[in-house]
Amino acid sequence: MTGPRPPATTPPEPSVAALAHDLRMACMRVSRRVRFETTTQLAPHQFSVLVRLSEQPRTAGDLAGQERVTAPSMSRTVGALVERGFVQRAADARDGRVVVLSLTTLGEQVIAQERAQRDAWMAVRLEGLSEDDRAVLRRATALLEEVVAR
């Protein structure tokens, strides 16, 4: 995991600064609309934790670091997910003192449902665009993936 980058020593040129602002705002609006206009069973931070666990089992400490939250905050999130039956705790096979978190079958089902709802919401909006516009968004998606990987 990489930490936040230090601020640039020189301000960006005005056109880059304007693009940075506009792009950040557009991404925030899309994210907010997807989260709040779909019928969801989960708060955004809970869904994020489930997605991380769908990749592989993890400890609460690992999750806290990846999600950039405090250990007590992650403990509350995990507790709520365990209580709802989406996540299970187990002792690590190599070190019984370590608790490993993983998805339950119900947790896997919830992720699949959430993804399907969110993708369907977006698909409806994309269907109204021309093929040329969708091609631009395909390229923009790849570029955004590059930007966040830096």
Side-chain angles (χ1 to χ4, degrees), residues 71-148:
S73 176
M74 184 53 67
S75 181
R76 286 188 298 275
T77 298
V78 167
L81 294 171
V82 168
E83 187 174 300
R84 293 179 74 180
F86 301 153
V87 171
Q88 60 192 2
R89 295 180 176 111
D92 184 280
R94 294 171 297 215
D95 184 348
R97 299 169 296 174
V98 175
V99 175
V100 177
L101 305 165
S102 60
L103 290 180
T104 62
T105 301
L106 180 59
E108 291 170 354
Q109 292 169 351
V110 166
I111 288 176
Q113 291 168 351
E114 288 290 321
R115 284 181 170 158
Q117 286 179 343
R118 292 170 187 215
D119 289 348
W121 181 90
M122 183 61 76
V124 166
R125 279 130 189 99
L126 295 177
E127 286 175 340
L129 300 176
S130 70
E131 185 52 43
D132 287 344
D133 286 344
R134 287 194 296 257
V136 168
L137 288 175
R138 281 185 200 91
R139 178 69 181 129
T141 299
L143 287 171
L144 287 170
E145 291 294 337
E146 286 180 35
V147 167
V148 298

Side-chain angles (χ1 to χ4, degrees), residues 5-107:
R5 290 180 183 252
T9 55
T10 59
E13 64 179 76
S15 65
V16 172
L19 175 59
H21 172 79
D22 293 345
L23 182 59
R24 184 179 55 79
M25 295 304 294
C27 288
M28 283 180 17
R29 287 184 188 109
V30 168
S31 178
R32 188 176 303 123
R33 293 269 318 263
V34 169
R35 281 194 322 259
F36 295 113
E37 291 198 21
T38 57
T39 55
T40 182
Q41 302 178 40
L42 298 165
H45 67 285
Q46 292 174 326
F47 182 67
S48 183
V49 167
L50 291 182
V51 169
R52 298 258 189 209
L53 292 174
S54 73
E55 297 164 353
Q56 68 182 50
R58 303 174 192 273
T59 67
D62 292 339
L63 289 168
Q66 291 169 331
E67 294 293 311
R68 297 184 179 177
V69 299
T70 64
S73 176
M74 184 53 67
S75 181
R76 286 188 298 275
T77 298
V78 167
L81 294 171
V82 168
E83 187 174 300
R84 293 179 74 180
F86 301 153
V87 171
Q88 60 192 2
R89 295 180 176 111
D92 184 280
R94 294 171 297 215
D95 184 348
R97 299 169 296 174
V98 175
V99 175
V100 177
L101 305 165
S102 60
L103 290 180
T104 62
T105 301
L106 180 59

